[in-house]
Coordinates of all heavy atoms in Angstrom, one line a residue:
S277 N 17.5 25.2 1.5 CA 16.8 25.6 2.7 C 16.9 24.5 3.8 O 16.3 24.7 4.9 CB 15.4 26.0 2.5 OG 14.7 24.9 1.9
G278 N 17.6 23.4 3.6 CA 17.7 22.3 4.5 C 17.5 21.0 3.9 O 17.2 20.9 2.7
E279 N 17.7 19.9 4.6 CA 17.6 18.6 4.1 C 16.2 18.3 3.7 O 15.3 18.5 4.5 CB 18.2 17.6 5.0 CG 18.2 16.2 4.5 CD 18.9 15.2 5.4 OE1 20.0 15.4 5.8 OE2 18.2 14.2 5.7
M280 N 16.0 17.6 2.6 CA 14.7 17.2 2.1 C 14.7 15.7 1.7 O 15.7 15.3 1.1 CB 14.2 18.0 0.9 CG 14.1 19.5 1.2 SD 13.4 20.4 -0.2 CE 11.7 20.1 0.2
T281 N 13.7 15.0 2.1 CA 13.6 13.6 1.8 C 12.4 13.3 0.9 O 11.3 13.8 1.2 CB 13.5 12.7 3.1 OG1 14.7 13.0 3.9 CG2 13.5 11.2 2.8
F282 N 12.7 12.5 -0.1 CA 11.6 12.1 -1.0 C 11.4 10.6 -1.1 O 12.4 9.9 -1.1 CB 12.0 12.6 -2.5 CG 12.3 14.1 -2.5 CD1 13.6 14.5 -2.7 CD2 11.3 15.0 -2.4 CE1 13.9 15.9 -2.7 CE2 11.6 16.4 -2.4 CZ 12.9 16.8 -2.6
L283 N 10.1 10.2 -1.1 CA 9.7 8.8 -1.2 C 8.9 8.6 -2.4 O 8.4 9.6 -3.0 CB 8.9 8.5 0.1 CG 9.6 8.7 1.4 CD1 8.6 8.5 2.5 CD2 10.7 7.7 1.6
P284 N 8.8 7.4 -2.9 CA 8.0 7.1 -4.1 C 6.6 7.7 -3.9 O 6.0 7.7 -2.8 CB 7.9 5.6 -4.1 CG 9.1 5.1 -3.4 CD 9.4 6.1 -2.3
G285 N 6.1 8.3 -4.9 CA 4.7 8.9 -4.9 C 4.8 10.4 -4.5 O 3.7 11.0 -4.5
H286 N 5.9 11.0 -4.3 CA 6.0 12.4 -4.0 C 5.5 13.2 -5.1 O 5.7 12.9 -6.3 CB 7.5 12.8 -3.6 CG 7.6 14.1 -2.9 ND1 7.5 15.3 -3.5 CD2 7.9 14.3 -1.6 CE1 7.7 16.2 -2.7 NE2 7.9 15.7 -1.5
A287 N 4.9 14.3 -4.8 CA 4.4 15.3 -5.8 C 5.5 15.9 -6.6 O 6.6 16.0 -6.0 CB 3.6 16.4 -5.1
P288 N 5.3 16.2 -7.8 CA 6.4 16.9 -8.6 C 6.9 18.1 -7.9 O 6.1 18.9 -7.3 CB 5.7 17.2 -9.9 CG 4.6 16.2 -10.1 CD 4.1 16.0 -8.6
F289 N 8.2 18.3 -7.9 CA 8.8 19.3 -7.1 C 10.2 19.7 -7.7 O 10.9 18.8 -8.2 CB 9.0 18.7 -5.7 CG 9.5 19.7 -4.7 CD1 8.7 20.6 -4.1 CD2 10.8 19.6 -4.3 CE1 9.2 21.5 -3.1 CE2 11.3 20.5 -3.3 CZ 10.5 21.4 -2.7
I290 N 10.6 20.9 -7.6 CA 12.0 21.4 -8.0 C 12.5 22.2 -6.8 O 11.8 23.0 -6.3 CB 11.9 22.2 -9.3 CG1 11.5 21.3 -10.4 CG2 13.3 22.7 -9.6 CD1 11.4 22.0 -11.8
T291 N 13.8 22.0 -6.5 CA 14.5 22.8 -5.5 C 15.9 23.0 -5.9 O 16.5 22.3 -6.6 CB 14.4 22.1 -4.1 OG1 14.9 23.0 -3.1 CG2 15.2 20.8 -4.0
T292 N 16.5 24.1 -5.3 CA 17.9 24.4 -5.5 C 18.6 23.7 -4.4 O 18.2 23.6 -3.2 CB 18.1 25.9 -5.3 OG1 17.3 26.6 -6.2 CG2 19.5 26.3 -5.5
L293 N 19.8 23.1 -4.7 CA 20.6 22.4 -3.8 C 21.6 23.3 -3.1 O 22.2 24.2 -3.8 CB 21.4 21.3 -4.5 CG 20.5 20.2 -5.1 CD1 21.4 19.2 -5.8 CD2 19.7 19.5 -4.0
G294 N 22.0 23.0 -1.9 CA 23.1 23.7 -1.2 C 24.2 22.7 -1.2 O 24.3 21.8 -2.0
T295 N 25.1 22.8 -0.3 CA 26.2 21.9 -0.1 C 25.9 21.0 1.1 O 25.5 21.5 2.2 CB 27.5 22.6 0.1 OG1 27.8 23.4 -1.0 CG2 28.7 21.7 0.3
G296 N 26.1 19.7 0.9 CA 25.8 18.8 2.0 C 25.9 17.4 1.5 O 26.5 17.1 0.5
I297 N 25.2 16.5 2.2 CA 25.3 15.1 2.0 C 24.0 14.5 1.3 O 22.9 14.7 1.9 CB 25.6 14.3 3.3 CG1 27.0 14.7 3.8 CG2 25.6 12.8 3.0 CD1 27.5 14.1 5.0
L298 N 24.2 13.9 0.2 CA 23.1 13.2 -0.5 C 23.0 11.8 0.1 O 24.1 11.1 0.3 CB 23.4 13.0 -2.0 CG 22.6 12.0 -2.8 CD1 21.2 12.5 -3.0 CD2 23.3 11.7 -4.1
K299 N 21.8 11.3 0.5 CA 21.7 9.9 1.0 C 20.6 9.3 0.2 O 19.6 9.9 -0.1 CB 21.2 10.0 2.5 CG 22.2 10.6 3.4 CD 21.6 10.7 4.8 CE 22.2 11.9 5.5 NZ 21.4 12.6 6.4
Y300 N 20.8 8.0 -0.1 CA 19.8 7.3 -0.8 C 19.9 5.8 -0.5 O 20.9 5.3 -0.2 CB 19.8 7.5 -2.3 CG 21.1 7.0 -3.0 CD1 21.2 5.8 -3.6 CD2 22.2 7.9 -3.1 CE1 22.4 5.4 -4.2 CE2 23.3 7.5 -3.7 CZ 23.4 6.3 -4.3 OH 24.6 5.9 -4.9
K301 N 18.7 5.1 -0.5 CA 18.6 3.7 -0.2 C 18.2 3.0 -1.5 O 17.2 3.3 -2.1 CB 17.6 3.4 0.9 CG 18.1 3.9 2.3 CD 17.1 3.4 3.3 CE 17.6 3.9 4.7 NZ 16.7 3.6 5.8
V302 N 19.1 2.0 -1.9 CA 18.8 1.3 -3.1 C 17.8 0.2 -2.7 O 17.8 -0.4 -1.7 CB 20.1 0.6 -3.6 CG1 19.9 -0.3 -4.8 CG2 21.1 1.7 -4.0
K303 N 16.9 0.0 -3.7 CA 15.8 -1.0 -3.5 C 16.4 -2.4 -3.2 O 17.3 -2.8 -3.9 CB 14.9 -1.1 -4.7 CG 13.7 -2.0 -4.6 CD 12.8 -1.8 -5.8 CE 11.6 -2.7 -5.6 NZ 10.7 -2.6 -6.8
G304 N 16.0 -3.0 -2.1 CA 16.5 -4.4 -1.8 C 17.7 -4.4 -0.9 O 18.3 -5.4 -0.6
Q305 N 18.3 -3.2 -0.5 CA 19.4 -3.1 0.3 C 19.2 -2.3 1.6 O 18.4 -1.3 1.5 CB 20.6 -2.5 -0.4 CG 21.1 -3.3 -1.6 CD 22.3 -2.8 -2.3 OE1 23.0 -2.0 -1.7 NE2 22.5 -3.1 -3.5
E306 N 19.7 -2.7 2.7 CA 19.5 -2.0 3.9 C 20.4 -0.7 4.1 O 20.0 0.3 4.6 CB 19.8 -2.9 5.1 CG 18.7 -3.9 5.4 CD 17.4 -3.2 5.8 OE1 17.4 -2.3 6.7 OE2 16.3 -3.7 5.3
K307 N 21.6 -0.8 3.6 CA 22.6 0.2 3.7 C 22.2 1.5 2.9 O 21.8 1.4 1.8 CB 24.0 -0.3 3.2 CG 25.0 0.7 3.2 CD 26.3 0.2 2.6 CE 27.3 1.3 2.4 NZ 28.4 0.9 1.5
A308 N 22.4 2.6 3.5 CA 22.2 3.9 2.8 C 23.5 4.3 2.2 O 24.5 4.2 2.8 CB 21.7 5.0 3.8
F309 N 23.4 4.7 0.9 CA 24.6 5.2 0.2 C 24.6 6.7 0.4 O 23.6 7.4 0.4 CB 24.5 4.9 -1.3 CG 24.6 3.4 -1.5 CD1 23.5 2.6 -1.5 CD2 25.9 2.8 -1.8 CE1 23.6 1.2 -1.7 CE2 26.0 1.5 -2.0 CZ 24.8 0.7 -1.9
K310 N 25.9 7.3 0.5 CA 26.0 8.7 0.7 C 27.1 9.3 -0.2 O 28.0 8.6 -0.6 CB 26.4 9.0 2.2 CG 25.4 8.5 3.2 CD 25.9 8.7 4.6 CE 24.9 8.2 5.7 NZ 25.4 8.4 7.0
A311 N 27.0 10.6 -0.4 CA 28.0 11.4 -1.2 C 27.8 12.8 -0.8 O 26.7 13.3 -0.5 CB 27.8 11.1 -2.7
V312 N 28.9 13.6 -1.0 CA 28.9 15.0 -0.8 C 28.4 15.6 -2.1 O 28.9 15.3 -3.2 CB 30.3 15.6 -0.5 CG1 30.2 17.1 -0.4 CG2 30.7 15.1 0.9
L313 N 27.4 16.5 -2.1 CA 26.9 17.3 -3.2 C 27.2 18.8 -3.0 O 27.1 19.2 -1.8 CB 25.4 17.1 -3.4 CG 24.9 15.9 -4.0 CD1 23.4 16.0 -4.2 CD2 25.5 15.6 -5.4
S314 N 27.4 19.5 -4.0 CA 27.5 20.9 -3.9 C 26.8 21.6 -5.1 O 27.1 21.3 -6.2 CB 28.9 21.4 -3.9 OG 29.0 22.8 -3.7
W315 N 25.9 22.4 -4.7 CA 25.2 23.3 -5.6 C 24.6 22.7 -6.9 O 25.2 21.9 -7.5 CB 26.1 24.5 -6.0 CG 25.4 25.6 -6.7 CD1 25.9 26.4 -7.7 CD2 24.1 26.2 -6.4 NE1 25.0 27.3 -8.1 CE2 23.9 27.3 -7.3 CE3 23.1 25.9 -5.5 CZ2 22.7 28.0 -7.3 CZ3 22.0 26.6 -5.5 CH2 21.8 27.7 -6.4
G316 N 23.4 23.0 -7.1 CA 22.7 22.4 -8.3 C 21.2 22.5 -8.1 O 20.7 23.3 -7.4
Y317 N 20.5 21.5 -8.8 CA 19.1 21.5 -8.8 C 18.6 20.0 -8.6 O 19.3 19.1 -9.0 CB 18.5 22.0 -10.1 CG 18.9 23.4 -10.3 CD1 20.0 23.8 -11.1 CD2 18.1 24.4 -9.7 CE1 20.3 25.1 -11.2 CE2 18.5 25.8 -9.9 CZ 19.6 26.1 -10.6 OH 20.0 27.4 -10.8
C318 N 17.5 19.9 -7.9 CA 16.9 18.6 -7.7 C 15.4 18.7 -8.3 O 14.7 19.6 -7.9 CB 16.9 18.2 -6.3 SG 16.0 16.7 -5.9
E319 N 15.1 17.7 -9.1 CA 13.8 17.6 -9.7 C 13.1 16.3 -9.3 O 13.7 15.3 -9.5 CB 13.8 17.7 -11.2 CG 12.5 17.5 -11.9 CD 12.7 17.3 -13.4 OE1 13.6 16.6 -13.8 OE2 11.9 17.9 -14.1
V320 N 11.9 16.4 -8.7 CA 11.2 15.2 -8.4 C 10.1 15.1 -9.4 O 9.3 16.0 -9.6 CB 10.6 15.2 -6.9 CG1 9.8 14.0 -6.6 CG2 11.7 15.4 -5.9
V321 N 10.0 13.9 -10.1 CA 8.9 13.6 -11.0 C 8.3 12.3 -10.6 O 8.8 11.6 -9.8 CB 9.5 13.6 -12.5 CG1 10.0 15.0 -12.9 CG2 10.6 12.6 -12.6
P322 N 7.2 12.0 -11.2 CA 6.5 10.7 -10.8 C 7.4 9.5 -11.0 O 7.4 8.5 -10.2 CB 5.3 10.6 -11.8 CG 5.0 12.0 -12.1 CD 6.3 12.7 -12.1
Q323 N 8.4 9.5 -11.9 CA 9.3 8.4 -12.2 C 10.4 8.3 -11.2 O 11.1 7.3 -11.1 CB 9.8 8.4 -13.6 CG 8.8 8.3 -14.7 CD 8.1 9.7 -14.9 OE1 8.6 10.7 -14.6 NE2 6.9 9.6 -15.6

């Protein structure tokens, strides 16, 4: 349904993925890493 961003402490959540760009920032680095993703599932848990 659109881009979603998750930060530490986010409530548990599950969503279906579309096709687009995954972005993430590694702890201790300024640069955001990116990749193309297509179809799947995303699960947010406390960890």
Side-chain angles (χ1 to χ4, degrees):
S277 59
E279 184 175 307
M280 299 186 84
T281 301
F282 305 108
L283 301 171
H286 196 285
F289 185 79
I290 295 178
T291 187
T292 305
L293 297 174
T295 298
I297 297 177
L298 163 75
K299 299 175 209 147
Y300 60 95
K301 290 186 179 178
V302 175
K303 188 174 182 180
Q305 296 185 20
E306 284 295 316
K307 178 185 170 196
F309 293 86
K310 299 178 182 180
V312 174
L313 280 185
S314 181
W315 193 217
Y317 299 94
C318 175
E319 172 191 43
V320 180
V321 294
Q323 298 80 18

